[in-house]
Amino acid sequence: MNARNTKYLLSWIELSAAALDHNIKSLVRLAGKRKLAVCVKANAYGHGLAEMVTQLNNRPEIDYLTVHSLDEAILCRVSGWERRIMILGPVANADLEAVFEYDLEPVVSSRETLDGLGQISKKRDQQLRTHLKLETGTNRQGVTEKELGPIARLYKKYSGLKKPYGASMHFANIEDTTNHEYAQHQLKRFRNMVTQMTRLGIKPTIRHTACSAALILFDKTHFDLVRPGIALYGHWPSKETYLSYRLAGGKNDIFEPVLTWKTRVTQTKDIPADAFIGYGCTYQTTSKTGLAVLPIGYADGYNRSLSNLAHVLIRGKRAPVRGRVCMNLTMVDITDIRGVRPESPVTLIGRQRQEMVSCEQLADWSGTISYEILARIAPHIPRIFVSK
Ligand SMILES: *Cc1c(COP(=O)(O)O)cnc(C)c1O
């Protein structure tokens, strides 16, 4: 089987190179002179890490990839990425040596990690670029103001570290609201802490705070480097971010979704009135019904909470999900869609003719956000870049 030829696939993801190009240009415009670090954590927001890295390799505008874990960072290297990589999440103490071996830049938010890195830098006689994460009110990762003194001493103790290359923070409440007071408050704390770092003799070379929403909405969060994620893939962080941007006079078309999720009908059948469909008998027909069985289920990331709620697109028309989404299969109603055959193409996320199912729509149906819908699309589904 040739996995690259979608003719032979029952479920696959198409990635638009044109949309990616468009989004990168928008990010470059927003970032201006700052360094651009794009986020490829969570399997590149479900788009496929290796596939995305292969594309991003051809874009010299991008200075950094940011990832959550060491494993993701190594996968970026294995996929040919030679530029800089920042690890946003924790690295196990036992794995710290790999940070040096793969030339990675960890974001450090604990003294233990910093000390561990310092010891290895000494042992290897090797310099390391670190980024210090500052706690400004998200209460997730980050060192507090009180810890800055001991942190400064650790930096000075190890000549391989000297001082942090970067100082960073992450906003708690910038995408889910149109009220940005808390973000302003965090920004103020960030500035204060950086001033304190300077006083302690560990002035960072660069500062960075901006996720997609901050990059899109607030110039003063940009500092020296920006770290967008979801916008690279053509999605707004939230309705609130979109609204804030449009109210400020921003243009509509700066991002285009990169991902389309497709599958094929495996079987069609006619079932009588008063018949039940699927596990739990949650749907009962009221009249003679045409059904199509799709080879997709919650194990693929097509969420069970979409049962009896979502629709898919077949022949440019909406086919509602009937009954429960199963582990590997889903049934949809095609009573009013003519000409559906085994292997007819189906769109789960994306555009088909005049119709569109957005990942934001799936998120609404599932009671979640687009980030989760994308991140949970199973890695086993082939990802294929198409030029359009
Ligand atoms: C995920 C993440 C980002 C990117 O966030 P988006 O909202 O997808 O742009 C930036 N910084 C940190 C620390 C992150 O964890």
Side-chain angles (χ1 to χ4, degrees), residues 41 45 88 133 140 170 175 211-212 227-230 371:
K41 66 192 177 194
Y45 290 57
L88 303 173
K133 184 76 164 267
R140 189 174 73 171
H170 194 50
E175 54 265 283
C211 57
S212 297
R227 313 187 302 258
I230 196 124
Y371 291 76

Side-chain angles (χ1 to χ4, degrees), residues 320-368:
V321 170
R322 298 298 192 214
R324 293 236 171 98
V325 172
C326 314
M327 188 181 282
N328 301 110
L329 297 164
T330 298
M331 287 72 87
V332 297
D333 193 327
I334 51 162
T335 310
D336 299 319
I337 310 176
R338 288 157 150 258
V340 181
R341 312 246 180 280
E343 308 224 340
S344 287
V346 179
T347 297
L348 303 170
I349 297 179
R351 201 173 280 287
Q352 200 189 72
R353 301 190 198 168
Q354 305 304 313
E355 280 284 348
M356 154 114 170
V357 180
S358 65
C359 100
E360 289 73 14
Q361 171 73 80
L362 283 193
D364 269 358
W365 279 323
S366 304
T368 184

Side-chain angles (χ1 to χ4, degrees), residues 70-206:
L70 176 64
D71 285 355
E72 291 169 342
I74 293 173
L75 258 169
C76 292
R77 288 283 181 243
V78 169
S79 306
W81 181 261
E82 291 178 355
R83 278 165 261 167
R84 299 206 199 168
I85 298 177
M86 195 190 299
I87 305 183
L88 303 173
V91 178
N93 287 332
D95 286 337
L96 291 177
E97 189 109 25
V99 168
F100 292 81
E101 282 162 11
Y102 288 91
D103 190 18
L104 308 171
E105 298 181 22
V107 176
V108 176
S109 50
S110 88
R111 278 184 258 175
E112 291 73 21
T113 302
L114 193 60
D115 198 32
L117 290 168
Q119 288 174 31
I120 297 169
S121 76
K122 193 170 162 188
K123 187 184 82 184
R124 295 174 67 103
D125 190 21
Q126 194 177 338
Q127 302 277 317
L128 183 72
R129 272 201 189 105
T130 60
H131 300 254
L132 188 64
K133 184 76 164 267
L134 303 177
E135 179 53 73
T136 61
T138 301
N139 290 312
R140 189 174 73 171
Q141 295 170 294
V143 300
T144 59
E145 236 161 306
K146 275 201 203 123
E147 288 175 285
L148 285 179
I151 292 265
R153 284 195 287 283
L154 275 176
Y155 270 111
K156 288 173 192 164
K157 175 173 166 193
Y158 296 110
S159 61
L161 303 180
K162 272 192 200 130
K163 58 192 198 114
Y165 174 67
S168 78
M169 61 151 276
H170 194 50
F171 291 103
N173 198 27
I174 201 154
E175 54 265 283
D176 303 330
T177 174
T178 50
N179 175 352
H180 296 109
E181 269 170 46
Y182 198 73
Q184 306 286 8
H185 159 77
Q186 283 192 279
L187 203 55
K188 198 168 153 202
R189 281 181 76 171
F190 179 70
R191 288 181 188 282
N192 286 342
M193 286 179 80
V194 172
T195 305
Q196 229 168 302
M197 286 172 69
T198 306
R199 259 192 234 124
L200 290 163
I202 50 165
K203 183 177 189 225
T205 308
I206 66 167

